[in-house]
Amino acid sequence: MNEEDAVQAVKDEKRSKSSHLSEDVAEKPVKPSATVGPSQMKPKKRRPRPVTICLDACRYEVLRNICKERRWRVVPETDEFSVFWSDLSVAPERLLQFKPYQRANHFVGMTEISRKDGLSKSLNRIAKKWPEEYTFYPQSWTLPIDLNDFRNTHRTLVHKRRLKPVYISKPTAGCQGNGIFLFKSENDIDPSQPQVVQRYIADPHLIDGYKYDLRIYLLVTSVEPLRMFIYKKGMARFATAPYVEPKDDNIKNSFMHLTNYSLNKRNKEGFVSNQDMDHDDEGSKRSLESVWRVLKSEGADVDQIWAQIKDIFIKTVVAIQPTLAHMYRSSLPNDRSGHACFELLGMDILLDSTHTPWLIEVNHSPSFNIDSPLDSDLKHSLIRDTIELLGVTPGDKARYMAEERRRFQERMMPGYSHRDAMRRMNSDEERARIERWEEDTLPRTQYEMIFPNERTEFYEQMMVEKGYSVIPAGRRLGITHRVLKAPTEGVLERTTQQLIQDARVRAEKELSLTERFDQLSKTKHVPTRPVGLKFDNTTVFRAGKTMTAPKNFVAVEQSRNRLVERSGIRSFISRMQGTESPRVVRTEGRPRAFLPYLEANKRMCRRRTGTAAGRPFFHRSLTPSTGRGLRTQPVLS
Ligand code: ADP
């Protein structure tokens, strides 16, 4: 059979198949519509579409199980989803693309407390303003920045107070106890390595002679206004070697001093797995309730400890609330509910021998691994209650679509007022609906609301404390990290003022440099005549039409360009548009040209030449090394 015959044969086969199909369809008995009586003509009840959740970046089986239980549909990232649950933090660029009914399990900016260096910096910063309130975090230094401070404090303790302090060193972004060690002398660490050094709590509360820490969960459902819930159930993770105060012979024993479950599991001699739910006070992982029982038996006031823990959690999040709120507004400008993100934090607490709780760590992605009945019980109910409290319903998308339709129709009506519509749109309706849901659902869960509370006003003072607000997470949006000192009202206002002030200083510096450069150029071979411009990336120096550069034109343009460049606005916009950063092309012996911008400039110039507003924006720089004189480089202003 030649090629043509083969093609024909395939076609024939296909045709015969499709005719079979059509025959099948034709033979299917069709329900006679006339037989359907009025009683049977009830409108078909539409089954609500299930909630969709994306778990592509989530490795925990427990989440999949709970979704199955609730009949939620797990969809890939490429499909439309209502909930995005990830083990990794969510980038602001991703949130920017979210629709108002979609929700993500992370807030942008939470790394300010979930990374060890972030936590240390954030709490140290606010502790300077509120020293009496922030005593729950062991004294910490972020090296190498705080090296001098660490050395001075250490020397004072040793020489003046005759103490023998012990410290714990942690890699800035580590986890599961990796890279952590105890030390006594400042010579025991490499100060050039990024690390957090912390006073070691050498007198922890012991149960059965073992050190332990508590894992308690905190759910943040909104950052502006702040809404937080603590989970009443939790667990205690135990060290696997009996505790002895740190001495030279045991200081390196991680199984004695660290309570990480993943680490202690490796201790074949000491690790005890608990497979019996009825004995939650045995083994290397125990329930929180079992710890409360022990504490009660020792005469401790458990309610008081619980209240202290709640206060610690509130203050920890309050320390970065302005950052979180700022980042939320920047990455979700169209969100009206304030509930597009939520975060389930794993908070690690250590009790000392006087039952005083200390904050050790904040995990933005706590482990939901299950390897014992206790784990299974805790994590299933935790996730179930979290999902319940979030109030995600199949109707969310439909409600959003209906609202959009209504708004569209409203715009078509005569007498439509945009201002009124905006006012209505920004009403707290959606926010109030979710908050009502949270409050109604709360009794059905193991959650307890800890913020807002009766001391809300007091905590709110800390949120707007002078000179502490920061926009560090702005680094990801291309904004520089800085601590603000300016006083007065809102965080944003202070941020802007500080940025303007900085910009002024920088512009002045750059101006003086350019002036010096101008002088140099006069004496050397760099021509200072006004340059004619033609939009041809290979012949930019050839005069077409002559433009006279005003005095200081070069300096002002240069400094403006630098400011735009440093602010990161350009790259941020490119990322938002999904375009690549401009390709830098070097033509033979010719200046660099940013091709996409060159095109944009060309178009703009063609459209609006001659007018002041239409004058394209050039970046010129002097190049004494090549002796080529003024370079003209079009950029996007
Ligand atoms: P990782 O994220 O690697 O688990 P952590 O900061 O939680 O790091 O520290 C690991 C363990 O070290 C904790 O579970 C706790 O037992 C112990 N630890 C950490 N900091 C201190 C401290 N300041 N004092 C006493 N023990 C500490």
Side-chain angles (χ1 to χ4, degrees), residues 188-199:
D188 294 344
I189 49 164
D190 175 359
S192 64
Q193 284 302 312
Q195 60 195 293
V196 171
V197 167
Q198 198 169 68
R199 281 289 290 274

Side-chain angles (χ1 to χ4, degrees), residues 2 75 179 204-205 222 282 329 338 341 362 384 406 444 458 607 622 625:
N2 64 22
V75 295
H205 180 254
S222 160
E282 289 172 5
R329 279 189 303 251
C341 300
V362 177
R384 210 175 280 137
R406 196 190 54 72
R444 279 184 269 138
F458 168 71
R607 234 185 294 141
L622 298 167
S625 55

Side-chain angles (χ1 to χ4, degrees), residues 98-134:
F98 264 44
K99 305 222 173 64
Y101 61 89
Q102 291 181 309
R103 305 178 79 175
N105 72 327
H106 292 291
F107 285 96
V108 178
M110 203 52 101
T111 42
E112 293 306 312
I113 51 170
S114 65
R115 265 179 66 115
K116 292 183 175 63
D117 51 347
L119 182 67
S120 165
K121 281 181 202 159
S122 303
L123 295 185
N124 282 345
R125 190 166 48 223
I126 199 164
K128 283 193 186 131
K129 305 285 166 191
W130 296 85
E132 295 92 43
E133 300 298 330
Y134 283 81

Side-chain angles (χ1 to χ4, degrees), residues 5-18:
D5 292 343
V7 171
Q8 192 56 42
V10 172
K11 275 185 187 169
D12 289 345
E13 197 183 335
K14 268 192 186 166
R15 212 174 293 137
S16 70
K17 263 188 191 167
S18 67

